[in-house]
Amino acid sequence: MLGPIGFAAPWVLTALVALPVLWVILRAMPPAPRQVAFPGVALLRGLVDRVPIARRTPWWLLLLRLAAVAAMILAFAGPSWKPVVASGQTGPLLVILDAGWSAAPDWPARLTRAESALSDAAAEGRPAALLLADGRAAGALAFAPADRLLAGLRAAQPVPWETTLPKDPAAILADAPQGRLATLWISDGLDHPDRAAWLSALTDRGAVTVVPPARAVRALSLHAGDTPSLTLASTDDGAPAILAIGPDPQGVERELARLAPGDAAAAAGIATRPVAIDLPPELRNRITRFQVEGEAHAGAVVLADDRVKRRKVGLVGDADRQAEGQELLSQLHYLRQALAPTTDLVEGGLGDVLDSAPDVIVLADQVDLAETGDLTAWVQDGGLLIRFAGPRMAAYDGLQDEPLIPVALRQGGRDIGGALSWGDPRAILPFAADGVFAGLTPPDDVAIRAQLMAQPAPDLAEKTLASLSDNTPLVTRARTGQGQVVLFHVTANAEWSNLPISGLFVQMLDRLVQTARVSPAQAQADGRDQPFWTPETVLDGFGRAAPAEGMAPVPAADLALGPAPERPAGIYAAGDRRVALNAGGPLALAHWPGATVEAVGRTGGRDLTGLLLALTALILAADALGSAMIARGGRVAAAVLLALLIQPAPSAKAQDPSPELARAANEVALAYVVTGDDRIDEASRQGLRGLSMVLAQRTSVEPGEPVAIDLDADDLSVLTFLYWPITDTQAPPSPQAYVRLNHFMRSGGMILFDTRDGDVTGVGGPDMSGALQALASPLEIPPLSPVPEDHVLTRSFYLLADFPGRWQGNPVWLEAPPAGAEAAEGMPFRQLNDGVSPVVIGGNSWAEAWAVDDNGFPAYPIGRGWEGEQQREMAFRFGVNLLMYVLTGNYKSDQVHVPALLDRMRVEETLGP
């Protein structure tokens, strides 16, 4: 070792002692000239040698040559930066590899470290054993030659549950050979059950070396309280965004929203941040998973289940009056309007509603029901019952004995806003900051004219969720078994108050519905016993979802224990209910008393041989340049050598076009930019293939198969049209490629930029998307404007008012007319490139709308039914118009303005010259 540098063959370094001797030898050669007196030399006095020859090698040139020799000697010695020093132990080796979801972020580096240790043990002839801490180890470990373990190690994968060690270390190590046991523990950095017991047992048997993780660990978990939220726990201070992922209206799974974590609360080295699911109900109900941005493991994924999705709500009340105009008198009407957008409603009698296994039941002024016993059992098993008062409840004689009422009530209603009452209608007090309605603001115009009064009681304040301005309860709640009963002390229609016709009524019901069945233990009973849950979708250790195949149902009691080998993280179903078993949760850092912890990121050293050989080549090149400078004709030689060193590589422009590009020129083939994303590139190929088929069927243009274009290598001069889909991960082209692209646009070519995002970011305008800005900023793009209604693009073949793709209703941008270039007498202004805009920018995902498979059928769905197919037809018509616009230039524009041209010619002929 020489500081942080180690050498595989340190004896080679002894050659460095020869460098001083080499300096003396090179310094003495050539020998100094012998001076001889010659009288004729006097005639040459005063002459200057234009190319003097040095008597000795310059010192700086000698230094360069010695540096090259020294670099070669160091390279041959096998240098390595911060190498792992062999332990020098001769006993058996045990490699423990944490294999839970928290080990997935740097899994390849972990396998490399374990493989290096096993390879070294094999070279030393030491027996070894490999323990994967995935909870599936059974029986005593078998110690064998280390090279036999490499195949099993390379096939290992992280699991979608917590790292799990066997319970009894002594039983697992019963067959360990005699001698001091050396342990290499490749840890995920977290504390796990039985870890301390294993560490104590291993340190008693020998030395323990711990390899900590190279990356921070982050976990996402769901907190299903009255208002569901997420919690982000991490071992560093990072706060990445949380992605809400689900199907869009067209059924394509994509990022629907980004949630920002809140302020961190640090404790014991773990930073915890709350993440509010502050999304509209319509959007939240489409979410299938939440995921930490930039993380690819099961702990960074929270699958969405019934706790964050739509609830099934049963409505029980009097049937709506059939007479027109009397529907607004029904209490069910207002409940239906408030709950229908965010829940699945079931209406009918109480018995029918109970049979549908709802999450919530709403009773509108209902008392003394025959199914009260079944309703009570349903509530105690976890159901949420919401009741509304009314004239029937106020006049009921047995109100004191009515079950499932959160507080004792007085018979008869309280009229506080009628003609024969004292006082004015009451407003609603602000809601408690820690209650279910926290954050909602009662409007000033909401007034309560009548209510059902509660009997005073010591616990009345605890059961009150909302109060009136005189502190009388408006909404009360009580827990019953695992469920809850909520009572609105007013009617569900506008008879006693105007609350049901306010937006606050919708928000209050939404908050209450979200409190239904907030845990797996509560969700397992839905009015019928559900002893088993069947897995539908499971995650692997990297957070990738796959269908559950060949897995046995899981008992409900075991499901509440969290993920394990027999129940991986995923979605489990029981009847109509779905529950997610998520891997993420609270984190705790591990401590390693008695063990040696390696430096973070130390993976076996970095070989410096290649770097030193490259340095040797550079020094020799500098030596050649210096030698040329001092030799005869040195300036010329140096200039030639310098030109060879800095000469740029020949551009793709000078290369012969590939056969595909030659075919594109002959067949007028459409071209697309290769993005590196196989799915996007295949969609581009299928889209241009579909558009080519339509062009061949409907026009005289017969394009060939589409051509894939590599901007860094291919010549663009033979192309006319280039489709460029924009992705966030697309690397920008080289500077030479941008030169070719600018020349392509200046010489009449067109680029169709497609951001494929439905133009949600306003592409083409001042707020162009970040990915498009990054890719297009070096291009000479002219000022842009939306396509005007009378532009030739709207009538080059078909008459169009919109340019839909897979999305529609979004603006399309092209070159704006020059300032002050108004059309005189109906004549269009003249642009460059024969009146054709060099760019068209939009976000309607045209390639997916045009795409056809190998059988000629559409490859991607658009909308629903006939309307979707009509949109696809309009997308094809836009493609035909676009290609006609590209290929014909201002010809179509002149045809549009033929009447104006003829009128001008007649005027000129009449007036004469």
Side-chain angles (χ1 to χ4, degrees):
M1 292 288 291
L2 184 60
I5 301 178
F7 296 91
W11 57 270
V12 177
L13 299 178
T14 58
L16 294 174
V17 300
L19 292 180
V21 178
L22 188 60
W23 170 274
V24 173
I25 294 176
L26 292 177
R27 188 66 176 168
M29 294 176 62
R34 187 176 58 176
Q35 295 184 356
V36 177
F38 181 64
V41 174
L43 299 175
L44 303 177
R45 183 171 299 172
L47 298 179
V48 178
D49 190 356
R50 296 182 178 179
V51 185
I53 299 177
R55 294 183 177 183
R56 298 181 183 275
T57 304
W59 66 269
W60 53 270
L61 196 57
L62 286 178
L63 193 60
L64 282 176
R65 294 170 180 174
L66 293 181
V69 174
M72 292 180 64
I73 294 173
L74 293 174
F76 293 152
S80 179
W81 179 262
K82 292 185 177 180
V84 176
V85 182
S87 61
Q89 298 179 357
T90 57
L93 172 67
L94 172 62
V95 177
I96 300 179
L97 183 62
D98 285 356
W101 59 262
S102 50
D106 54 349
W107 186 253
R110 294 171 179 274
L111 294 185
T112 301
R113 184 68 179 89
E115 183 176 352
S116 175
L118 292 176
S119 299
D120 292 343
E124 298 169 358
R126 301 165 58 193
L130 175 64
L131 175 61
L132 289 177
D134 57 5
R136 294 183 287 199
L141 279 177
F143 283 78
D147 53 356
R148 297 183 184 177
L149 306 176
L150 294 177
L153 173 66
R154 292 164 185 158
Q157 295 290 331
V159 293
W161 55 81
E162 183 183 10
T163 295
T164 306
L165 292 161
K167 295 291 184 183
D168 188 2
I172 299 297
L173 300 176
D175 294 342
Q178 297 296 324
R180 299 284 292 174
L181 179 65
T183 302
L184 179 67
W185 194 327
I186 305 177
S187 169
D188 58 15
L190 302 180
D191 195 12
H192 303 288
D194 303 311
R195 185 197 60 84
W198 269 90
L199 180 61
S200 176
L202 292 174
T203 52
D204 291 341
R205 290 173 173 259
V208 177
T209 302
V210 177
V211 180
R215 293 183 52 182
V217 180
R218 300 189 178 102
L220 192 65
S221 57
L222 176 66
H223 172 67
D226 285 347
T227 303
S229 62
L230 302 169
T231 300
L232 174 64
S234 61
T235 57
D236 65 352
D237 295 331
I242 308 301
L243 308 181
I245 301 173
D248 60 14
Q250 280 70 34
V252 180
E253 188 168 89
R254 57 184 295 185
E255 176 188 323
L256 300 179
R258 301 170 71 90
L259 307 178
D263 296 333
I270 302 296
T272 304
R273 299 176 183 270
V275 184
I277 308 178
D278 188 13
L279 298 172
E282 295 83 357
L283 182 62
R284 184 177 61 195
N285 291 333
R286 296 210 309 265
I287 294 173
T288 58
R289 58 193 281 158
F290 298 93
Q291 184 165 354
V292 181
E293 185 178 26
E295 298 290 332
H297 56 83
V301 175
V302 166
L303 298 175
D305 56 11
D306 294 341
R307 292 169 289 179
V308 294
K309 292 187 176 181
R310 295 176 71 96
R311 303 298 201 273
K312 183 184 291 186
V313 178
L315 295 182
V316 180
D318 296 334
D320 293 346
R321 294 175 173 85
Q322 299 301 319
E324 184 178 357
Q326 295 186 0
E327 184 178 295
L328 298 180
L329 301 179
S330 170
Q331 298 196 46
L332 291 184
H333 171 75
Y334 296 93
L335 292 172
R336 190 182 302 114
Q337 295 296 318
L339 295 171
T342 59
T343 63
D344 295 325
L345 295 180
V346 178
E347 297 187 39
L350 181 56
D352 298 332
V353 168
L354 284 172
D355 290 340
S356 67
D359 302 294
V360 182
I361 293 179
V362 182
L363 299 181
D365 195 16
Q366 299 293 307
V367 293
D368 194 22
L369 297 172
E371 300 88 349
T372 299
D374 294 338
L375 180 61
T376 302
W378 175 83
V379 172
Q380 291 178 346
D381 287 339
L384 169 62
L385 175 62
I386 302 177
R387 305 189 67 166
F388 283 85
R392 180 181 296 148
M393 183 178 289
Y396 181 49
D397 293 338
L399 189 59
Q400 296 292 337
D401 301 325
E402 175 70 10
L404 299 177
I405 296 292
V407 295
L409 299 174
R410 294 179 181 177
Q411 187 177 359
R414 175 197 182 196
D415 188 0
I416 51 179
L420 301 179
S421 64
W422 295 95
D424 298 324
R426 299 290 188 265
I428 302 176
L429 287 178
F431 300 119
D434 57 350
V436 67
F437 302 135
L440 301 182
T441 302
D444 296 335
D445 56 351
V446 172
I448 309 300
R449 300 185 300 273
Q451 68 177 134
L452 201 60
M453 294 292 293
Q455 293 281 8
D459 59 349
L460 180 60
E462 297 178 1
K463 296 181 178 180
T464 301
L465 299 180
S467 301
L468 300 183
S469 57
D470 58 0
N471 289 316
T472 55
L474 173 65
V475 183
T476 54
R477 178 176 66 175
R479 299 283 180 178
T480 301
Q482 296 184 16
Q484 50 184 326
V485 179
V486 177
L487 173 64
F488 280 76
H489 292 239
V490 294
T491 59
N493 60 8
E495 185 176 354
W496 286 11
S497 70
N498 62 352
L499 175 62
I501 62 176
S502 68
L504 178 64
F505 186 68
V506 179
Q507 295 174 325
M508 294 175 71
L509 286 177
D510 181 64
R511 288 288 184 90
L512 288 172
V513 168
Q514 294 305 320
T515 66
R517 304 191 185 277
V518 296
S519 68
Q522 295 169 336
Q524 62 181 291
D526 59 358
R528 295 167 293 180
D529 291 336
Q530 297 289 355
F532 292 96
W533 291 80
T534 303
E536 287 189 341
T537 302
V538 295
L539 300 179
D540 63 7
F542 297 105
R544 299 172 297 202
E549 298 179 354
M551 295 183 59
V554 178
D558 294 344
L559 199 66
L561 301 177
E566 64 277 4
R567 50 182 187 277
I571 296 291
Y572 292 76
D576 293 333
R577 302 201 58 80
R578 300 291 183 272
V579 62
L581 198 60
N582 293 309
L587 305 181
L589 292 178
H591 300 282
W592 306 96
T596 302
V597 180
E598 285 188 358
V600 176
R602 193 173 182 183
T603 58
R606 179 180 179 182
D607 189 9
L608 301 179
T609 301
L611 183 62
L612 288 173
L613 290 177
L615 179 62
T616 301
L618 289 176
I619 295 176
L620 292 178
D623 175 81
L625 182 61
S627 299
M629 290 177 62
I630 64 175
R632 180 179 299 274
R635 290 186 179 89
V636 177
V640 172
L641 182 59
L642 204 57
L644 290 175
L645 290 176
I646 66 174
Q647 180 181 5
S651 65
K653 187 74 175 178
Q655 299 175 358
D656 294 334
S658 66
E660 283 293 301
L661 289 177
R663 180 181 62 80
N666 294 330
E667 300 179 353
V668 197
L670 310 183
Y672 64 93
V673 175
V674 175
T675 65
D677 188 321
D678 294 339
R679 187 185 70 83
I680 301 300
D681 294 342
E682 178 64 14
S684 300
R685 185 191 69 81
Q686 292 178 330
L688 295 187
R689 183 171 181 266
L691 181 58
S692 299
M693 294 171 58
V694 170
L695 285 169
Q697 293 169 359
R698 305 182 186 183
T699 72
S700 60
V701 181
E702 298 181 356
E705 284 293 320
V707 177
I709 295 298
D710 182 354
L711 295 178
D712 292 333
D714 291 336
D715 182 11
L716 305 180
S717 61
V718 297
L719 301 178
T720 303
F721 173 80
L722 184 62
Y723 175 75
W724 191 340
I726 304 299
T727 64
D728 293 336
T729 59
Q730 192 173 158
S734 64
Q736 292 81 3
Y738 279 115
V739 172
R740 291 194 294 272
L741 283 168
N742 286 325
H743 179 74
F744 170 72
M745 292 190 296
R746 286 194 301 266
S747 58
M750 172 189 282
I751 303 177
L752 173 60
F753 290 98
D754 190 353
T755 59
R756 307 176 303 100
D757 57 359
D759 198 47
V760 296
T761 53
V763 295
D767 301 323
M768 293 171 62
S769 65
L772 179 58
Q773 281 186 336
L775 291 173
S777 57
L779 296 177
E780 297 173 0
I781 295 180
L784 304 176
S785 67
V787 179
E789 295 180 358
D790 59 346
H791 194 273
V792 65
L793 185 57
T794 65
R795 60 192 74 185
S796 59
F797 197 87
Y798 292 102
L799 296 178
L800 298 178
D802 192 13
F803 312 107
R806 199 172 187 187
W807 322 116
Q808 64 178 345
N810 305 301
V812 176
W813 303 75
L814 44 64
E815 182 181 4
E822 299 293 339
E825 301 181 9
M827 294 296 296
F829 63 87
R830 292 297 184 197
Q831 298 171 296
L832 296 176
N833 300 338
D834 203 19
V836 177
S837 173
V839 295
V840 174
I841 301 178
N844 286 337
S845 193
W846 288 291
E848 293 181 354
W850 300 331
V852 295
D853 58 19
D854 294 337
N855 298 320
F857 294 104
Y860 295 91
I862 297 181
R864 295 182 179 179
W866 171 249
E867 293 182 357
E869 292 308 312
Q870 188 177 18
Q871 180 177 335
R872 190 191 307 277
E873 170 61 22
M874 299 307 294
F876 276 122
R877 293 188 179 188
F878 164 68
V880 173
N881 273 25
L882 184 65
L883 266 298
M884 291 296 102
Y885 174 56
V886 173
L887 296 175
T888 61
N890 63 11
Y891 170 76
K892 289 289 184 178
S893 178
D894 290 344
Q895 293 303 305
V896 170
H897 298 279
V898 161
L901 291 170
L902 293 177
D903 289 343
R904 174 174 291 182
M905 292 175 63
R906 293 191 189 100
V907 171
E908 292 177 351
E909 183 179 355
T910 302
L911 297 178

